[in-house]
Each structure stands twice: as structure tokens, then as C-alpha cells.
Amino acid sequence: MKTPIIQIKNMVRSYELGGETVMALREVSLDIYKGDFISIIGPSGSGKSTFMNMIGCLDRPDSGQYLLDGEEVGEMNDNKLASIRNEKIGFIFQNFNLLMKLTALENVELPLLYRGLGTKERRNIAYECLDKVGLRDRAQHLPNQLSGGQQQRVAIARALVGNPPILLADEPTGALDSKTSEEIMQVMKDLHKQGHTIILITHDLEVAQQASRIVRIQDGQLYENGGDWFGSHAIYQDGASEYQR
Ligand SMILES: Nc1ncnc2c1ncn2[C@@H]1O[C@H](COP(=O)(O)OP(=O)(O)OP(=O)(O)O)[C@@H](O)[C@H]1O
Ligand SMILES: [Mg+2]
């Protein structure tokens, strides 16, 4: 049987605020496989950012299990968490998070600086990744000399450059107009076709529906079924559903 690249079981995360406990994730379970293109959709306050921080190894659960590529994340110290994050996950953010004083090429190269690669090798890999998003000819541009969609492409190239097994995108089209959003979603779909594993977090149904798996998050719980959005139902602890055929 295929082993999931991400295995989350009974994950709980709560916040203490003014003497009250907010249950942001309630015993969430989810398996994600290599090559999946999965979207996680939910309204404001449903737990998306909390869940993304967990998946992205930016936070640890109160309880439950998170196996990332076979390693238990809940037991890692901060250093280990940072290094697994670097190695396993390429982040794509709503606001691109590019360094404004660096060119597109330099932004893409940046993650490789920490990997001890020579200048030439870094440059070659960065160019390859800019190629993948169709932006080689903008390599020398600064972010403010690029359109929003182009900036997001640079950010996607940067996420790809360390060849991470997982791409994690948080509202990647949230800052873009609808036509540019479509272009960025096309890039994501192309990357999926090339075998990349993509997790996309959004509150936008149209965006979510372009993934091959859709998981809904509501009040800190996950719901999934075979794409029938309105007939969704809870995923139980074993990751299967009592309604599953
Ligand atoms: N640091 C915190 N302290 C206390 N409560 C928090 C904290 N962060 C989040 N919460 C609460 O946890 C719940 C989930 O929040 P989260 O930020 O994950 O939602 P979200 O789905 O990302 O929302 P949005 O779409 O508005 O970004 C909410 O009820 C929120 O108020
Ligand atoms: Mg959020």
C-alpha cells in the first residue's frame, strides 16, 4: 500500500485567550499522498491558518500525530523543525513575500544559499525554476518592476528551487485579480501534472475546485468526500468515512 507523505491523526490545537479555550483544531485526521493536489477550504476563523502552520511545521500540535515523510513532527525541537521545514516544504504566500531589493533571480536563489551550493550551480537551478514558471526573461527585474502575477510566479519558482517534496500555498491568488488568479492556478495545475504534491489553502470555492481533492474545514473539523461539495460529511478518526463506498 502507498504510504502517505503526510499523515495527520487526531491533531488538536487550542489557544488560551482571556481564560477561555478556543479549539482551533479538533481531532483532525488527514492523509496526503505524493502527487496529490489538495485544497483546504473554509470560512474565516475555521482554522485554516492554524492547520497550515501545523502542516508547514511552523507550530506543534497540543496532541495527536503528525508524520511528515515518516518523521514525527510533534517531538521535534525548534532547530529540527526549522530544518525539516526547509527541506520538505516550499511555501507560497498570498503576498508573495519577495525581498524587494533583490532581483527575481536572486530571490529564487536565496533558499539555495543555505545549502552550500556554488554560485554557478545556484544560478543554473534558479534559472531552471524561473523557466518552469515562464519567467526566465524577467530574471533581472526587481519585484516592483513585475506585475502581481509575475511576482507570484517568482515566489513559486523560489518555492521550487530546493526541490521540496511538498508545495504549501496559502491563498496564493488572494491578492490577484481574477484573470491573473487563473494564470497562477494554471501554473499550479502544470506543476501538479509534473508530479509535484500541492496543498492549497483558500476560502475561495472556485480556486479550491481546481484541485483534485477538496477538504473542507469548519469549526476546526475536516470534511471530505469524492468532490461532491454540498454532500460533505465528517472524516472520522481512521481517515475514512462511514458513508464511503
Ligand atoms: N493566537 C491566537 N490566540 C487565540 N485564538 C486564536 C489565535 N489564533 C487563532 N485563534 C482562533 O482560532 C480559530 C481559528 O483561527 P485561524 O486563524 O486558524 O482561522 P482562519 O481559517 O485562518 O481564518 P481567516 O480566513 O480569517 O484567516 C479562530 O476562532 C481564531 O479566533
Ligand atoms: Mg487565516
Side-chain angles (χ1 to χ4, degrees):
M1 227 179 83
K2 264 201 323 185
T3 315
I5 187 151
I6 282 180
Q7 224 170 349
I8 290 170
K9 223 171 166 178
N10 302 335
M11 180 185 273
V12 174
R13 178 66 163 102
S14 61
Y15 299 104
E16 298 293 334
L17 194 67
E20 267 185 55
T21 305
V22 179
M23 294 296 290
L25 294 175
R26 307 167 186 261
E27 303 234 351
V28 160
S29 298
L30 184 67
D31 287 346
I32 299 175
Y33 294 87
K34 224 179 211 141
D36 270 358
F37 181 7
I38 183 167
S39 60
I40 296 167
I41 179 169
S44 183
S46 57
K48 298 186 298 298
S49 293
T50 305
F51 197 40
M52 186 194 118
N53 290 343
M54 290 297 167
I55 294 174
C57 301
L58 295 156
D59 191 12
R60 276 175 292 249
D62 299 350
S63 63
Q65 197 186 43
Y66 177 15
L67 285 177
L68 171 55
D69 218 357
E71 291 189 78
E72 176 54 62
V73 174
E75 288 156 16
M76 289 177 186
N77 63 27
D78 289 351
N79 278 343
K80 178 73 181 143
L81 212 57
S83 77
I84 197 165
R85 192 159 63 223
N86 255 323
E87 188 189 326
K88 305 284 185 193
I89 297 169
F91 287 92
I92 299 161
F93 302 97
Q94 176 169 1
N95 294 314
F96 327 132
N97 290 14
L98 298 175
L99 295 181
M100 300 310 277
K101 289 191 174 158
L102 300 186
T103 64
L105 184 68
E106 289 164 344
N107 266 287
V108 175
E109 266 184 46
L110 207 55
L112 296 178
L113 266 183
Y114 310 105
R115 300 203 175 194
L117 296 179
T119 318
K120 229 189 184 149
E121 200 178 348
R122 284 204 309 266
R123 195 128 297 185
N124 288 341
I125 299 172
Y127 267 120
E128 254 172 54
C129 292
L130 280 172
D131 251 347
K132 273 198 173 188
V133 298
L135 267 193
R136 179 183 274 263
D137 59 338
R138 296 289 189 277
Q140 300 308 329
H141 286 231
L142 292 168
N144 65 13
Q145 298 167 334
L146 296 168
S147 70
Q150 289 171 334
Q151 290 185 51
Q152 191 58 299
R153 284 168 194 256
V154 173
I156 293 171
R158 180 185 55 188
L160 291 170
V161 81
N163 201 22
I166 294 160
L167 291 177
L168 182 56
D170 183 19
E171 299 279 7
T173 63
L176 303 173
D177 61 62
S178 60
K179 186 171 164 285
T180 312
S181 292
E182 271 172 41
E183 281 170 28
I184 292 299
M185 287 311 295
Q186 193 53 53
V187 173
M188 303 295 267
K189 284 190 265 190
D190 290 344
L191 291 173
H192 175 230
K193 270 193 208 130
Q194 290 162 30
H196 289 277
T197 306
I198 302 174
I199 305 169
L200 188 156
I201 291 170
T202 183
H203 69 275
D204 184 334
L205 183 55
E206 235 173 84
V207 169
Q209 279 174 329
Q210 302 189 47
S212 46
R213 263 179 91 185
I214 305 177
V215 170
R216 186 159 61 94
I217 183 165
Q218 180 89 46
D219 282 332
Q221 287 184 294
L222 296 187
Y223 304 83
E224 179 176 13
N225 70 7
D228 174 12
W229 174 255
F230 296 100
S232 305
H233 47 264
I235 301 169
Y236 294 97
Q237 290 178 3
D238 61 358
S241 146
E242 63 178 338
Y243 303 112
Q244 220 156 34
R245 270 152 283 184

PDB file of all heavy atoms in Angstrom, residues 4-33:
ATOM      1  N   PRO A   4       1.399   7.483   2.950  1.00  0.00           N
ATOM      2  CA  PRO A   4       1.182   8.920   2.770  1.00  0.00           C
ATOM      3  C   PRO A   4       2.455   9.715   3.066  1.00  0.00           C
ATOM      4  O   PRO A   4       3.222   9.323   3.942  1.00  0.00           O
ATOM      5  CB  PRO A   4       0.102   9.258   3.806  1.00  0.00           C
ATOM      6  CG  PRO A   4      -0.391   7.971   4.342  1.00  0.00           C
ATOM      7  CD  PRO A   4       0.642   6.933   4.064  1.00  0.00           C
ATOM      8  N   ILE A   5       2.640  10.812   2.362  1.00  0.00           N
ATOM      9  CA  ILE A   5       3.783  11.686   2.665  1.00  0.00           C
ATOM     10  C   ILE A   5       3.466  12.521   3.907  1.00  0.00           C
ATOM     11  O   ILE A   5       4.358  12.886   4.664  1.00  0.00           O
ATOM     12  CB  ILE A   5       4.170  12.553   1.448  1.00  0.00           C
ATOM     13  CG1 ILE A   5       5.461  13.302   1.742  1.00  0.00           C
ATOM     14  CG2 ILE A   5       3.075  13.516   1.034  1.00  0.00           C
ATOM     15  CD1 ILE A   5       6.266  13.599   0.524  1.00  0.00           C
ATOM     16  N   ILE A   6       2.165  12.766   4.098  1.00  0.00           N
ATOM     17  CA  ILE A   6       1.713  13.446   5.314  1.00  0.00           C
ATOM     18  C   ILE A   6       0.634  12.594   5.964  1.00  0.00           C
ATOM     19  O   ILE A   6      -0.316  12.176   5.311  1.00  0.00           O
ATOM     20  CB  ILE A   6       1.159  14.846   4.986  1.00  0.00           C
ATOM     21  CG1 ILE A   6       2.311  15.821   4.744  1.00  0.00           C
ATOM     22  CG2 ILE A   6       0.266  15.373   6.116  1.00  0.00           C
ATOM     23  CD1 ILE A   6       1.880  17.229   4.415  1.00  0.00           C
ATOM     24  N   GLN A   7       0.826  12.316   7.247  1.00  0.00           N
ATOM     25  CA  GLN A   7      -0.132  11.504   7.991  1.00  0.00           C
ATOM     26  C   GLN A   7      -0.470  12.241   9.278  1.00  0.00           C
ATOM     27  O   GLN A   7       0.375  12.351  10.163  1.00  0.00           O
ATOM     28  CB  GLN A   7       0.529  10.173   8.317  1.00  0.00           C
ATOM     29  CG  GLN A   7      -0.351   8.998   8.101  1.00  0.00           C
ATOM     30  CD  GLN A   7       0.423   7.680   8.204  1.00  0.00           C
ATOM     31  OE1 GLN A   7       1.644   7.648   8.248  1.00  0.00           O
ATOM     32  NE2 GLN A   7      -0.312   6.600   8.243  1.00  0.00           N
ATOM     33  N   ILE A   8      -1.698  12.742   9.320  1.00  0.00           N
ATOM     34  CA  ILE A   8      -2.117  13.508  10.493  1.00  0.00           C
ATOM     35  C   ILE A   8      -3.233  12.739  11.181  1.00  0.00           C
ATOM     36  O   ILE A   8      -4.191  12.313  10.541  1.00  0.00           O
ATOM     37  CB  ILE A   8      -2.589  14.916  10.073  1.00  0.00           C
ATOM     38  CG1 ILE A   8      -1.380  15.741   9.602  1.00  0.00           C
ATOM     39  CG2 ILE A   8      -3.305  15.624  11.229  1.00  0.00           C
ATOM     40  CD1 ILE A   8      -1.739  17.056   8.950  1.00  0.00           C
ATOM     41  N   LYS A   9      -3.076  12.531  12.473  1.00  0.00           N
ATOM     42  CA  LYS A   9      -4.060  11.730  13.203  1.00  0.00           C
ATOM     43  C   LYS A   9      -4.445  12.406  14.506  1.00  0.00           C
ATOM     44  O   LYS A   9      -3.588  12.718  15.325  1.00  0.00           O
ATOM     45  CB  LYS A   9      -3.458  10.352  13.504  1.00  0.00           C
ATOM     46  CG  LYS A   9      -4.465   9.261  13.255  1.00  0.00           C
ATOM     47  CD  LYS A   9      -3.891   7.900  13.311  1.00  0.00           C
ATOM     48  CE  LYS A   9      -5.111   6.991  13.392  1.00  0.00           C
ATOM     49  NZ  LYS A   9      -4.833   5.610  13.404  1.00  0.00           N
ATOM     50  N   ASN A  10      -5.743  12.658  14.652  1.00  0.00           N
ATOM     51  CA  ASN A  10      -6.304  13.202  15.904  1.00  0.00           C
ATOM     52  C   ASN A  10      -5.562  14.453  16.376  1.00  0.00           C
ATOM     53  O   ASN A  10      -5.288  14.615  17.559  1.00  0.00           O
ATOM     54  CB  ASN A  10      -6.269  12.159  17.020  1.00  0.00           C
ATOM     55  CG  ASN A  10      -7.019  10.908  16.633  1.00  0.00           C
ATOM     56  OD1 ASN A  10      -7.919  10.949  15.787  1.00  0.00           O
ATOM     57  ND2 ASN A  10      -6.664   9.791  17.233  1.00  0.00           N
ATOM     58  N   MET A  11      -5.233  15.308  15.443  1.00  0.00           N
ATOM     59  CA  MET A  11      -4.462  16.503  15.796  1.00  0.00           C
ATOM     60  C   MET A  11      -5.353  17.542  16.483  1.00  0.00           C
ATOM     61  O   MET A  11      -6.423  17.883  15.992  1.00  0.00           O
ATOM     62  CB  MET A  11      -3.845  17.110  14.539  1.00  0.00           C
ATOM     63  CG  MET A  11      -3.025  18.358  14.809  1.00  0.00           C
ATOM     64  SD  MET A  11      -2.468  19.097  13.272  1.00  0.00           S
ATOM     65  CE  MET A  11      -0.963  18.199  12.985  1.00  0.00           C
ATOM     66  N   VAL A  12      -4.874  18.015  17.626  1.00  0.00           N
ATOM     67  CA  VAL A  12      -5.604  19.032  18.392  1.00  0.00           C
ATOM     68  C   VAL A  12      -4.711  20.262  18.553  1.00  0.00           C
ATOM     69  O   VAL A  12      -3.520  20.140  18.828  1.00  0.00           O
ATOM     70  CB  VAL A  12      -5.983  18.501  19.800  1.00  0.00           C
ATOM     71  CG1 VAL A  12      -6.600  19.604  20.649  1.00  0.00           C
ATOM     72  CG2 VAL A  12      -6.939  17.312  19.679  1.00  0.00           C
ATOM     73  N   ARG A  13      -5.298  21.434  18.346  1.00  0.00           N
ATOM     74  CA  ARG A  13      -4.593  22.678  18.673  1.00  0.00           C
ATOM     75  C   ARG A  13      -5.610  23.636  19.260  1.00  0.00           C
ATOM     76  O   ARG A  13      -6.643  23.926  18.650  1.00  0.00           O
ATOM     77  CB  ARG A  13      -3.963  23.288  17.419  1.00  0.00           C
ATOM     78  CG  ARG A  13      -3.255  24.625  17.659  1.00  0.00           C
ATOM     79  CD  ARG A  13      -2.022  24.450  18.549  1.00  0.00           C
ATOM     80  NE  ARG A  13      -1.114  25.597  18.482  1.00  0.00           N
ATOM     81  CZ  ARG A  13      -1.042  26.550  19.418  1.00  0.00           C
ATOM     82  NH1 ARG A  13      -1.845  26.528  20.471  1.00  0.00           N
ATOM     83  NH2 ARG A  13      -0.157  27.529  19.284  1.00  0.00           N
ATOM     84  N   SER A  14      -5.330  24.096  20.460  1.00  0.00           N
ATOM     85  CA  SER A  14      -6.229  25.071  21.081  1.00  0.00           C
ATOM     86  C   SER A  14      -5.429  26.302  21.476  1.00  0.00           C
ATOM     87  O   SER A  14      -4.204  26.258  21.581  1.00  0.00           O
ATOM     88  CB  SER A  14      -6.888  24.452  22.314  1.00  0.00           C
ATOM     89  OG  SER A  14      -5.905  24.090  23.246  1.00  0.00           O
ATOM     90  N   TYR A  15      -6.115  27.397  21.625  1.00  0.00           N
ATOM     91  CA  TYR A  15      -5.492  28.635  22.093  1.00  0.00           C
ATOM     92  C   TYR A  15      -6.173  29.051  23.380  1.00  0.00           C
ATOM     93  O   TYR A  15      -7.391  28.948  23.510  1.00  0.00           O
ATOM     94  CB  TYR A  15      -5.679  29.759  21.076  1.00  0.00           C
ATOM     95  CG  TYR A  15      -5.064  29.508  19.714  1.00  0.00           C
ATOM     96  CD1 TYR A  15      -5.866  29.155  18.637  1.00  0.00           C
ATOM     97  CD2 TYR A  15      -3.700  29.660  19.514  1.00  0.00           C
ATOM     98  CE1 TYR A  15      -5.322  28.948  17.375  1.00  0.00           C
ATOM     99  CE2 TYR A  15      -3.146  29.452  18.250  1.00  0.00           C
ATOM    100  CZ  TYR A  15      -3.962  29.101  17.189  1.00  0.00           C
ATOM    101  OH  TYR A  15      -3.419  28.901  15.947  1.00  0.00           O
ATOM    102  N   GLU A  16      -5.372  29.543  24.322  1.00  0.00           N
ATOM    103  CA  GLU A  16      -5.916  30.101  25.562  1.00  0.00           C
ATOM    104  C   GLU A  16      -5.994  31.605  25.386  1.00  0.00           C
ATOM    105  O   GLU A  16      -5.021  32.241  25.016  1.00  0.00           O
ATOM    106  CB  GLU A  16      -4.996  29.787  26.746  1.00  0.00           C
ATOM    107  CG  GLU A  16      -4.825  28.312  27.042  1.00  0.00           C
ATOM    108  CD  GLU A  16      -6.099  27.649  27.537  1.00  0.00           C
ATOM    109  OE1 GLU A  16      -6.956  28.369  28.113  1.00  0.00           O
ATOM    110  OE2 GLU A  16      -6.256  26.422  27.324  1.00  0.00           O
ATOM    111  N   LEU A  17      -7.173  32.148  25.613  1.00  0.00           N
ATOM    112  CA  LEU A  17      -7.318  33.595  25.451  1.00  0.00           C
ATOM    113  C   LEU A  17      -8.279  34.134  26.505  1.00  0.00           C
ATOM    114  O   LEU A  17      -9.443  33.736  26.535  1.00  0.00           O
ATOM    115  CB  LEU A  17      -7.814  33.904  24.036  1.00  0.00           C
ATOM    116  CG  LEU A  17      -7.701  35.371  23.620  1.00  0.00           C
ATOM    117  CD1 LEU A  17      -6.250  35.792  23.491  1.00  0.00           C
ATOM    118  CD2 LEU A  17      -8.419  35.612  22.298  1.00  0.00           C
ATOM    119  N   GLY A  18      -7.770  35.006  27.377  1.00  0.00           N
ATOM    120  CA  GLY A  18      -8.598  35.610  28.416  1.00  0.00           C
ATOM    121  C   GLY A  18      -9.365  34.588  29.238  1.00  0.00           C
ATOM    122  O   GLY A  18     -10.551  34.763  29.493  1.00  0.00           O
ATOM    123  N   GLY A  19      -8.669  33.508  29.635  1.00  0.00           N
ATOM    124  CA  GLY A  19      -9.293  32.480  30.464  1.00  0.00           C
ATOM    125  C   GLY A  19     -10.186  31.514  29.695  1.00  0.00           C
ATOM    126  O   GLY A  19     -10.720  30.570  30.265  1.00  0.00           O
ATOM    127  N   GLU A  20     -10.322  31.752  28.391  1.00  0.00           N
ATOM    128  CA  GLU A  20     -11.142  30.835  27.591  1.00  0.00           C
ATOM    129  C   GLU A  20     -10.276  30.004  26.663  1.00  0.00           C
ATOM    130  O   GLU A  20      -9.215  30.441  26.235  1.00  0.00           O
ATOM    131  CB  GLU A  20     -12.140  31.622  26.745  1.00  0.00           C
ATOM    132  CG  GLU A  20     -13.490  31.792  27.426  1.00  0.00           C
ATOM    133  CD  GLU A  20     -14.470  32.469  26.483  1.00  0.00           C
ATOM    134  OE1 GLU A  20     -14.651  31.952  25.364  1.00  0.00           O
ATOM    135  OE2 GLU A  20     -15.030  33.511  26.884  1.00  0.00           O
ATOM    136  N   THR A  21     -10.753  28.827  26.345  1.00  0.00           N
ATOM    137  CA  THR A  21     -10.029  27.965  25.417  1.00  0.00           C
ATOM    138  C   THR A  21     -10.734  27.951  24.067  1.00  0.00           C
ATOM    139  O   THR A  21     -11.922  27.647  23.989  1.00  0.00           O
ATOM    140  CB  THR A  21      -9.965  26.518  25.962  1.00  0.00           C
ATOM    141  OG1 THR A  21      -9.388  26.568  27.265  1.00  0.00           O
ATOM    142  CG2 THR A  21      -9.106  25.644  25.065  1.00  0.00           C
ATOM    143  N   VAL A  22      -9.994  28.342  23.037  1.00  0.00           N
ATOM    144  CA  VAL A  22     -10.542  28.258  21.680  1.00  0.00           C
ATOM    145  C   VAL A  22     -10.005  26.985  21.038  1.00  0.00           C
ATOM    146  O   VAL A  22      -8.792  26.811  20.915  1.00  0.00           O
ATOM    147  CB  VAL A  22     -10.093  29.471  20.826  1.00  0.00           C
ATOM    148  CG1 VAL A  22     -10.657  29.357  19.414  1.00  0.00           C
ATOM    149  CG2 VAL A  22     -10.492  30.774  21.479  1.00  0.00           C
ATOM    150  N   MET A  23     -10.898  26.092  20.632  1.00  0.00           N
ATOM    151  CA  MET A  23     -10.471  24.857  19.965  1.00  0.00           C
ATOM    152  C   MET A  23     -10.331  25.142  18.471  1.00  0.00           C
ATOM    153  O   MET A  23     -11.322  25.179  17.748  1.00  0.00           O
ATOM    154  CB  MET A  23     -11.507  23.748  20.191  1.00  0.00           C
ATOM    155  CG  MET A  23     -11.620  23.304  21.633  1.00  0.00           C
ATOM    156  SD  MET A  23     -10.102  22.550  22.255  1.00  0.00           S
ATOM    157  CE  MET A  23     -10.111  21.020  21.330  1.00  0.00           C
ATOM    158  N   ALA A  24      -9.119  25.374  18.031  1.00  0.00           N
ATOM    159  CA  ALA A  24      -8.916  25.734  16.624  1.00  0.00           C
ATOM    160  C   ALA A  24      -8.856  24.493  15.728  1.00  0.00           C
ATOM    161  O   ALA A  24      -9.287  24.539  14.580  1.00  0.00           O
ATOM    162  CB  ALA A  24      -7.648  26.557  16.482  1.00  0.00           C
ATOM    163  N   LEU A  25      -8.327  23.389  16.243  1.00  0.00           N
ATOM    164  CA  LEU A  25      -8.348  22.109  15.516  1.00  0.00           C
ATOM    165  C   LEU A  25      -8.831  21.036  16.482  1.00  0.00           C
ATOM    166  O   LEU A  25      -8.262  20.860  17.561  1.00  0.00           O
ATOM    167  CB  LEU A  25      -6.949  21.738  15.002  1.00  0.00           C
ATOM    168  CG  LEU A  25      -6.320  22.627  13.935  1.00  0.00           C
ATOM    169  CD1 LEU A  25      -4.895  22.177  13.648  1.00  0.00           C
ATOM    170  CD2 LEU A  25      -7.137  22.641  12.647  1.00  0.00           C
ATOM    171  N   ARG A  26      -9.898  20.342  16.092  1.00  0.00           N
ATOM    172  CA  ARG A  26     -10.487  19.331  16.978  1.00  0.00           C
ATOM    173  C   ARG A  26     -10.267  17.938  16.421  1.00  0.00           C
ATOM    174  O   ARG A  26     -11.015  17.497  15.545  1.00  0.00           O
ATOM    175  CB  ARG A  26     -12.004  19.541  17.084  1.00  0.00           C
ATOM    176  CG  ARG A  26     -12.429  20.939  17.484  1.00  0.00           C
ATOM    177  CD  ARG A  26     -13.924  21.094  17.233  1.00  0.00           C
ATOM    178  NE  ARG A  26     -14.327  22.455  17.464  1.00  0.00           N
ATOM    179  CZ  ARG A  26     -14.901  22.879  18.591  1.00  0.00           C
ATOM    180  NH1 ARG A  26     -15.187  22.043  19.553  1.00  0.00           N
ATOM    181  NH2 ARG A  26     -15.220  24.150  18.729  1.00  0.00           N
ATOM    182  N   GLU A  27      -9.259  17.264  16.886  1.00  0.00           N
ATOM    183  CA  GLU A  27      -9.011  15.867  16.488  1.00  0.00           C
ATOM    184  C   GLU A  27      -9.085  15.686  14.976  1.00  0.00           C
ATOM    185  O   GLU A  27      -9.865  14.887  14.463  1.00  0.00           O
ATOM    186  CB  GLU A  27     -10.014  14.940  17.170  1.00  0.00           C
ATOM    187  CG  GLU A  27      -9.987  15.058  18.668  1.00  0.00           C
ATOM    188  CD  GLU A  27      -9.787  13.723  19.359  1.00  0.00           C
ATOM    189  OE1 GLU A  27      -9.834  12.681  18.675  1.00  0.00           O
ATOM    190  OE2 GLU A  27      -9.572  13.727  20.574  1.00  0.00           O
ATOM    191  N   VAL A  28      -8.260  16.435  14.304  1.00  0.00           N
ATOM    192  CA  VAL A  28      -8.255  16.406  12.845  1.00  0.00           C
ATOM    193  C   VAL A  28      -7.383  15.256  12.333  1.00  0.00           C
ATOM    194  O   VAL A  28      -6.284  15.049  12.851  1.00  0.00           O
ATOM    195  CB  VAL A  28      -7.703  17.767  12.363  1.00  0.00           C
ATOM    196  CG1 VAL A  28      -7.197  17.673  10.954  1.00  0.00           C
ATOM    197  CG2 VAL A  28      -8.760  18.843  12.496  1.00  0.00           C
ATOM    198  N   SER A  29      -7.889  14.518  11.351  1.00  0.00           N
ATOM    199  CA  SER A  29      -7.094  13.456  10.725  1.00  0.00           C
ATOM    200  C   SER A  29      -7.102  13.614   9.211  1.00  0.00           C
ATOM    201  O   SER A  29      -8.143  13.906   8.625  1.00  0.00           O
ATOM    202  CB  SER A  29      -7.659  12.068  11.080  1.00  0.00           C
ATOM    203  OG  SER A  29      -7.600  11.869  12.476  1.00  0.00           O
ATOM    204  N   LEU A  30      -5.944  13.445   8.610  1.00  0.00           N
ATOM    205  CA  LEU A  30      -5.851  13.600   7.154  1.00  0.00           C
ATOM    206  C   LEU A  30      -4.588  12.915   6.635  1.00  0.00           C
ATOM    207  O   LEU A  30      -3.522  13.068   7.218  1.00  0.00           O
ATOM    208  CB  LEU A  30      -5.803  15.097   6.806  1.00  0.00           C
ATOM    209  CG  LEU A  30      -5.806  15.470   5.321  1.00  0.00           C
ATOM    210  CD1 LEU A  30      -7.121  15.112   4.666  1.00  0.00           C
ATOM    211  CD2 LEU A  30      -5.541  16.970   5.130  1.00  0.00           C
ATOM    212  N   ASP A  31      -4.740  12.168   5.552  1.00  0.00           N
ATOM    213  CA  ASP A  31      -3.582  11.588   4.870  1.00  0.00           C
ATOM    214  C   ASP A  31      -3.416  12.267   3.519  1.00  0.00           C
ATOM    215  O   ASP A  31      -4.386  12.429   2.786  1.00  0.00           O
ATOM    216  CB  ASP A  31      -3.789  10.086   4.619  1.00  0.00           C
ATOM    217  CG  ASP A  31      -3.664   9.279   5.907  1.00  0.00           C
ATOM    218  OD1 ASP A  31      -3.176   9.825   6.914  1.00  0.00           O
ATOM    219  OD2 ASP A  31      -4.075   8.104   5.892  1.00  0.00           O
ATOM    220  N   ILE A  32      -2.214  12.656   3.207  1.00  0.00           N
ATOM    221  CA  ILE A  32      -1.917  13.260   1.905  1.00  0.00           C
ATOM    222  C   ILE A  32      -0.832  12.422   1.233  1.00  0.00           C
ATOM    223  O   ILE A  32       0.163  12.065   1.873  1.00  0.00           O
ATOM    224  CB  ILE A  32      -1.478  14.734   2.064  1.00  0.00           C
ATOM    225  CG1 ILE A  32      -2.617  15.546   2.706  1.00  0.00           C
ATOM    226  CG2 ILE A  32      -1.073  15.331   0.718  1.00  0.00           C
ATOM    227  CD1 ILE A  32      -2.261  16.992   3.019  1.00  0.00           C
ATOM    228  N   TYR A  33      -1.063  12.101  -0.041  1.00  0.00           N
ATOM    229  CA  TYR A  33      -0.145  11.220  -0.767  1.00  0.00           C
ATOM    230  C   TYR A  33       0.697  12.000  -1.768  1.00  0.00           C
ATOM    231  O   TYR A  33       0.299  13.068  -2.237  1.00  0.00           O
ATOM    232  CB  TYR A  33      -0.938  10.137  -1.507  1.00  0.00           C
ATOM    233  CG  TYR A  33      -1.633   9.205  -0.553  1.00  0.00           C
ATOM    234  CD1 TYR A  33      -2.902   9.508  -0.049  1.00  0.00           C
ATOM    235  CD2 TYR A  33      -0.989   8.053  -0.107  1.00  0.00           C
ATOM    236  CE1 TYR A  33      -3.518   8.666   0.863  1.00  0.00           C
ATOM    237  CE2 TYR A  33      -1.603   7.204   0.802  1.00  0.00           C
ATOM    238  CZ  TYR A  33      -2.872   7.514   1.279  1.00  0.00           C
ATOM    239  OH  TYR A  33      -3.469   6.690   2.182  1.00  0.00           O
TER     240      TYR A  33
END
